[in-house]
Amino acid sequence: MSEKVVIEDFKPFVGVSCEPTATGCLLKHIGIELSEPMIFGLGEGLGYIFWNMKTMNFPFLGGRIKQDLLTENIARNLNLRLEVRETSSAKKAWNNVKTSIDAGIPVGVKLDSYYLDYFSDKFHFAGHYVAMYGYDDESVYLIDTQKQGGKVKTSLESFEAARNAKGPMSSRNLSFMIHNDGKDYNLQNVIIKAIRDNASDYLNPPIKNIGCKGILKTSVEVKKWFKSSKDVKNDFKTTAMLMEDAGTGGALFRNLYKDFLKECYEILLIKELREAYLAFEEIATLWTRVSTLFDCAGETEEIGCINDASEILVDLSEKERRAMEGLSRLKTR
């Protein structure tokens, strides 16, 4: 007899970015409905990193904080209990998610998107998140981003391979649940705290390839990268795609943060929030311009596009520094 277990009252969260989408599903199931920008912002999600390792084909430009931290932050800020499970055993990993689904609790899962049957862009990314809400003898039922189809399913074999993958950003079959133990929170105070904490972390990076210093470093390194690249077309067209379309919400997550600040201003009516929203509106436009120039560099293989992008990155470093310094000084109401 075939086995099929699906959480009947599960309602999917619709989102463009993977971790906020997965976490949004879990929050929605316990009665907390927030917009995707609010999830991203309360999770203190904005960041920047220029990451270049010899084992990588080309440098990586990231626009958010380290994987896993966003969900940890939002659980802490909303007084929720986050239960995280990791194991090197594929059998135990399956039992971890199966028992949760059997109990009617959806699960967040971190995995390498390359192995998922339905995934449209086939490249290794082991920092991808989905929400799991069911399974049968052959498949796992998941919620992914809008671009990847929202409600989807993948084979048990592909799910196991994706969860057990090794490499940058990977974890040991990580899964997580969010529990509401009835502890209250003040949304207005949480907003201010999350913004200030995010700004403080952004402005005080441990190394120079993170935050606004990292953007400035990128303005120099991108020229070296172009000159040393063995495949300019692939490097820069892929990077442009990752910046705009790979679950960032566009403009390397700046669109999400801009919308978060706008929503916060509408709730709190603090003029500094409106000023920051307007600053990030311009910042987001400039990041999209950078990605367009990267795509141009890949298409034409002309360094002029990179030189133009480099100049904008210098400007972006300063604009983001000023905006985040203003946000770091917000007063608790």
Side-chain angles (χ1 to χ4, degrees):
M1 183 176 177
S2 64
E3 182 180 24
K4 181 178 181 179
V5 181
V6 174
I7 300 173
E8 295 298 336
D9 59 345
F10 179 78
K11 293 176 181 158
F13 180 92
V14 180
V16 298
S17 183
C18 64
E19 191 174 355
T21 297
T23 298
C25 285
L26 273 54
L27 291 173
K28 194 171 183 178
H29 194 72
I30 57 173
I32 298 174
E33 295 202 38
L34 300 170
S35 69
E36 185 173 13
M38 186 61 72
I39 290 171
F40 184 78
L42 295 184
E44 303 167 24
L46 192 78
Y48 180 81
I49 185 169
F50 179 80
W51 188 15
N52 192 13
M53 296 173 61
K54 290 180 180 178
T55 55
M56 299 166 63
N57 293 329
F58 54 86
F60 173 74
L61 277 64
R64 50 155 289 169
I65 58 172
K66 187 179 177 182
Q67 271 71 23
D68 308 330
L69 289 182
L70 188 146
T71 301
E72 290 177 21
N73 290 340
I74 199 165
R76 184 186 67 250
N77 285 334
L78 298 181
N79 279 333
L80 303 169
R81 179 165 53 90
L82 177 65
E83 182 180 352
V84 180
R85 297 173 177 176
E86 281 191 80
T87 176
S88 56
S89 164
K91 183 177 180 180
K92 188 174 181 181
W94 173 249
N95 191 57
N96 284 342
V97 294
K98 181 180 182 296
T99 53
S100 296
I101 301 301
D102 290 347
I105 303 171
V107 191
V109 181
K110 185 180 177 189
L111 34 66
D112 187 338
S113 57
Y114 176 84
Y115 297 98
L116 299 173
D117 296 333
Y118 61 85
F119 217 78
S120 58
D121 301 309
K122 287 294 183 183
F123 57 87
H124 285 284
F125 178 58
H128 189 65
Y129 296 83
V130 295
M132 176 180 171
Y133 69 97
Y135 66 88
D136 60 31
D137 291 340
E138 298 179 348
S139 304
V140 178
Y141 297 80
L142 307 172
I143 303 298
D144 210 313
T145 59
Q146 275 180 295
K147 181 182 178 185
Q148 301 305 331
K151 263 190 171 184
V152 292
K153 66 179 182 177
T154 196
S155 69
L156 293 172
E157 293 78 14
S158 68
F159 185 65
E160 181 177 323
R163 297 188 66 196
N164 204 35
K166 304 297 188 291
M169 304 184 201
S170 64
S171 298
R172 297 176 306 153
N173 292 289
L174 185 147
S175 61
F176 59 93
M177 295 172 288
I178 298 176
H179 305 282
N180 188 347
D181 295 332
K183 295 179 181 178
D184 203 7
Y185 61 88
N186 182 305
L187 181 61
Q188 295 189 0
N189 290 342
V190 168
I191 285 171
I192 299 295
K193 180 183 181 301
I195 289 173
R196 287 195 316 207
D197 287 352
N198 199 167
S200 178
D201 287 345
Y202 177 94
L203 292 166
N204 298 285
I207 49 179
K208 288 184 178 179
N209 62 327
I210 295 176
C212 51
K213 293 178 181 177
I215 299 172
L216 190 60
K217 181 180 176 68
T218 306
S219 72
V220 176
E221 293 297 320
V222 72
K223 295 179 182 179
K224 299 177 186 176
W225 169 16
F226 181 88
K227 292 174 182 176
S228 63
S229 173
K230 295 177 182 176
D231 190 347
V232 166
K233 183 173 183 177
N234 178 70
D235 287 9
F236 287 94
K237 287 186 77 66
T238 301
T239 298
M241 181 275 293
L242 293 173
M243 292 169 71
E244 287 299 315
D245 300 324
T248 71
L252 206 66
F253 293 97
R254 272 56 187 167
N255 282 336
L256 278 175
Y257 205 70
K258 170 198 69 175
D259 292 344
F260 164 66
L261 292 172
K262 183 181 181 183
E263 192 172 342
C264 291
Y265 171 69
E266 290 167 351
I267 294 169
L268 298 174
L269 298 177
I270 298 173
K271 70 178 180 66
E272 288 84 0
L273 286 173
R274 184 174 185 277
E275 291 167 358
Y277 156 67
L278 293 173
F280 267 92
E281 196 169 43
E282 181 184 8
I283 285 165
T285 300
L286 289 172
W287 274 111
T288 295
R289 177 63 181 151
V290 170
S291 67
T292 300
L293 286 166
F294 279 8
D295 190 68
C296 165
E299 197 65 48
T300 65
E301 301 190 21
E302 293 288 339
I303 197 169
C305 298
I306 294 300
N307 290 336
D308 290 347
S310 175
E311 288 183 17
I312 296 173
L313 287 166
V314 173
D315 190 29
L316 276 167
S317 174
E318 180 62 17
K319 280 182 164 59
E320 290 204 3
R321 182 188 65 78
R322 288 200 304 264
M324 295 304 260
E325 282 180 348
L327 290 172
S328 72
R329 295 190 291 267
L330 280 178
K331 298 287 193 296
T332 304
R333 299 189 66 146

